[in-house]
């Protein structure tokens, strides 16, 4: 048996390529506005971060006498050293860690348990309780700060980080409960019914079945709450009455004035440390966040 090959004439190949080129050119011009918008958004988002990072290496003389778009003459780490030695930025970071991470742990633990109880368990009045949590989302934080400050002052907690932790938990619970209830709503009820028929208790169903099924959603909610708490200024500024209790955001607010004149280089370095740290956390948990965002979109 001999194989036969069909040869396409050169002119036929040229005729086939011409429509492809026209379609490619048409697709390019159709997508050009979208690409232009994406490019503008990238410039708007990325350029300030690049400018901030470059500014963290400049000296005070470069800020005052050179154009603001000029590159630093040398990439010295003196500003970063000054941030931690003179500015006390390390204490601000430690205070933020001690206030944010215990609050975040309590928010996630209580929020996921409440979401499970409100959506999976059947009991009278659960709809009303969920509405109360939703009402908590609509309460402005500014309205509760003065009453809370009075309560903390009478309890003798104003000289500690406990006011921050308790307030963070109280303000973060409504949104967390609502989101976790939404994610539990997407879990098939047959799974929990089967575990109950097998003799599993409510607590066992929660820890062994419910919690692993919403793990990616837990990462998503946790990251959202982490950014809220880490970037908080209003609550931290209200309840921190000494420099030893300042968090990062309050420290940045007071950082610019502690040298008498504004030292732009150390200030930019402090902001860069804060922004780059949170950006690395997001990049590390990016995949879990994307999975969690779509976890509650499809049921079954």
């Amino acid at each position: 048996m001999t194989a036969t090959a069909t040869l396409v004439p050169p002119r036929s190949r040229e005729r086939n390529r011409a429509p492809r080129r026209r379609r490619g050119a048409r697709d390019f011009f159709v997508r050009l506005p979208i690409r232009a918008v994406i490019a503008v958004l990238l410039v708007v988002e990325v350029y300030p971060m690049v400018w901030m990072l470059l500014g963290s290496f400049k000296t005070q003389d470069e800020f005052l006498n050179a154009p603001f778009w000029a590159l630093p003459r040398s990439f010295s780490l003196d500003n970063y050293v000054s941030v931690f030695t003179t500015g006390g930025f390390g204490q601000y970071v430690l205070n933020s860690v001690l206030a944010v991470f215990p609050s975040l742990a309590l928010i996630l633990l209580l929020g996921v348990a409440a979401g499970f109880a409100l959506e999976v368990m059947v009991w009278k009045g659960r709809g009303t309780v969920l509405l109360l949590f939703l009402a908590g989302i609509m309460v402005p934080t500014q309205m509760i700060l003065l009453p809370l400050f009075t309560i903390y002052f009478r309890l003798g907690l104003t000289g500690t980080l406990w006011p921050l932790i308790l307030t963070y938990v109280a303000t973060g619970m409504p949104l967390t409960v609502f989101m976790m209830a939404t994610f539990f709503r997407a879990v098939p009820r047959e799974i929990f019914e089967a575990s109950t028929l097998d003799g599993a208790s409510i607590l066992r169903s929660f820890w062994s079945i419910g919690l692993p099924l919403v793990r990616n959603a837990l990462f998503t909610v946790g990251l959202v709450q982490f950014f809220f708490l880490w970037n908080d200024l209003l609550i931290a500024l209200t309840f921190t009455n000494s420099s030893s209790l300042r968090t990062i955001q309050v420290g940045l607010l007071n950082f610019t004035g502690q040298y008498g004149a504004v030292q732009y280089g150390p200030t930019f370095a402090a902001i860069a440390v804060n922004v780059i740290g949170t950006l690395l956390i997001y990049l590390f948990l990016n995949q879990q966040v994307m999975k969690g965002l779509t976890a509650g979109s499809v049921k079954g």
Side-chain angles (χ1 to χ4, degrees):
M1 180 181 296
T2 59
T4 59
T6 303
L7 298 178
V8 180
R11 294 182 178 178
S12 300
R13 289 200 299 267
E14 291 296 331
R15 285 195 297 269
N16 291 335
R17 290 174 183 171
R20 293 179 186 175
R21 286 196 294 266
R22 286 195 294 269
R23 285 196 300 268
R26 184 170 60 251
D27 293 341
F28 174 79
F29 286 106
V30 168
R31 297 177 182 176
L32 186 60
I34 299 176
R35 293 175 178 175
V37 171
I38 294 176
V40 171
L41 291 177
L42 285 176
V43 171
V44 172
E45 294 291 335
V46 175
Y47 176 73
M49 297 186 62
V50 175
W51 182 68
M52 172 195 64
L53 186 61
L54 293 176
S56 66
F57 295 102
K58 291 184 178 181
T59 62
Q60 186 73 0
D61 181 67
E62 291 179 82
F63 275 104
L64 297 178
N65 299 320
F68 72 92
W69 61 81
L71 295 176
R73 298 191 186 100
S74 64
F75 289 87
S76 175
L77 297 178
D78 292 341
N79 291 330
Y80 290 91
V81 175
S82 176
V83 163
F84 288 96
T85 56
T86 308
F89 195 73
Q91 183 64 42
Y92 302 153
V93 174
L94 179 61
N95 291 336
S96 292
V97 170
L98 294 178
V100 169
F101 284 98
S103 305
L104 187 61
L106 288 174
I107 289 173
L108 295 180
L109 179 61
L110 298 177
V112 71
F116 178 86
L118 291 172
E119 193 59 41
V120 177
M121 299 174 61
V122 179
W123 47 281
K124 187 176 181 179
R126 60 174 183 165
T128 304
V129 175
L130 183 58
L131 288 177
L132 291 176
F133 276 107
L134 291 177
I137 300 177
M138 296 180 286
V139 176
T141 306
Q142 296 85 343
M143 292 181 59
I144 64 175
L145 291 182
L146 184 58
L148 286 178
F149 183 84
T150 304
I151 294 173
Y152 295 147
F153 179 78
R154 292 180 177 179
L155 293 176
L157 299 176
T158 52
T160 65
L161 291 174
W162 278 109
L164 292 182
I165 296 175
L166 295 176
T167 308
Y168 285 158
V169 173
T171 55
M173 279 293 294
L175 180 61
T176 302
V177 172
F178 172 70
M179 294 182 68
M180 293 311 305
T182 303
F183 287 119
F184 274 117
R185 190 175 303 161
V187 178
R189 293 295 174 271
E190 292 79 6
I191 298 177
F192 298 106
E193 293 173 0
S195 66
T196 302
L197 292 176
D198 290 338
S201 63
I202 294 295
L203 187 61
R204 181 64 181 274
S205 298
F206 171 70
W207 283 107
S208 301
I209 299 176
L211 197 59
L213 288 175
V214 296
R215 180 179 54 190
N216 291 326
L218 198 61
F219 276 107
T220 303
V221 177
L223 194 61
V224 170
Q225 292 293 348
F226 170 77
F227 285 127
F228 282 158
L229 302 182
W230 190 266
N231 295 321
D232 166 68
L233 175 62
L234 179 62
I235 298 175
L237 188 61
T238 303
F239 297 121
T240 53
N241 55 4
S242 65
S243 59
S244 60
L245 296 177
R246 291 172 181 168
T247 59
I248 285 182
Q249 308 307 326
V250 181
L252 289 176
L253 187 65
N254 294 275
F255 194 80
T256 56
Q258 64 182 348
Y259 294 96
V262 177
Q263 296 291 325
Y264 295 103
T267 302
F268 274 59
I271 297 173
V273 171
N274 182 34
V275 172
I276 293 175
T278 53
L279 181 62
L280 291 177
I281 293 176
Y282 173 77
L283 292 177
F284 179 74
L285 299 175
N286 181 44
Q287 294 300 322
Q288 284 77 10
V289 172
M290 292 299 104
K291 293 177 182 178
L293 288 175
T294 58
S297 60
V298 180
K299 183 176 180 179

